Amino acid sequence: MSTSNIDEFLRFCGLFDEPGVVGTLGALQLCAMRYNLKDWRAVILLISGLLSTSMFFYAIVFIFWLIDLLFVRKKVVPVLLFFIGVIVAYNTTKDIPAVKNLVWDRVEWDSSRGTFAGNTRVNSNTQYN
């Protein structure tokens, strides 16, 4: 393989070209490690994923935590407390412009585009197959 063809196999120009790469790789590695926060490597992955502001990272962490609590540990109370906390946080911060733009607008579903409103990777130039 020549060096001119190697670009066809790489999606990005650099390994960490966007936050989603850090979030995706970190979330998958944390899932493989079963979120063992006694391991310093898992702690570093968690911190880097949180700081990456990757919506995918937050979603995977939440889904894994939810599945682990409900189906493995069979604990419903922490899940209910989490949902109550999200509702209280939303009602408390929905009128603060910075929080609204950075958090709540990103997870709002846009039915006209068929994607999350905070999905900044899809624009009018994106081609769907």
Side-chain angles (χ1 to χ4, degrees):
M1 173 187 319
S2 69
T3 56
S4 63
N5 293 334
I6 201 161
D7 290 338
E8 296 173 8
F9 295 113
L10 300 175
R11 182 172 176 203
F12 305 109
C13 296
L15 181 60
F16 301 117
D17 196 28
E18 66 174 26
V21 175
V22 175
T24 301
L25 293 177
L28 294 176
Q29 288 174 336
L30 278 172
C31 287
M33 297 174 76
R34 299 195 42 86
Y35 287 83
N36 179 13
L37 297 181
K38 293 177 184 174
D39 186 348
W40 64 271
R41 295 172 297 182
V43 173
I44 291 175
L45 286 170
L46 181 64
I47 292 170
S48 67
L50 292 172
L51 293 176
S52 75
T53 66
S54 166
M55 193 167 78
F56 183 78
F57 178 82
Y58 297 138
I60 291 298
V61 167
F62 170 71
I63 290 169
F64 185 88
W65 175 74
L66 182 69
I67 290 171
D68 184 57
L69 279 176
L70 287 177
F71 299 112
V72 176
R73 299 181 192 183
K74 301 192 185 324
K75 294 183 179 182
V76 177
V77 174
V79 176
L80 291 175
L81 290 175
F82 176 78
F83 281 117
I84 291 170
V86 169
I87 291 168
V88 169
Y90 174 73
N91 285 327
T92 305
T93 61
K94 68 182 178 183
D95 296 325
I96 300 172
V99 178
K100 183 179 184 305
N101 288 337
L102 294 172
V103 179
W104 305 122
D105 286 349
R106 288 186 70 199
V107 295
E108 182 180 356
W109 183 257
D110 185 357
S111 59
S112 65
R113 291 186 347 191
T115 184
F116 288 104
N119 184 0
T120 57
R121 290 188 269 177
V122 177
N123 60 30
S124 61
N125 295 326
T126 303
Q127 298 282 329
Y128 293 105
N129 292 331

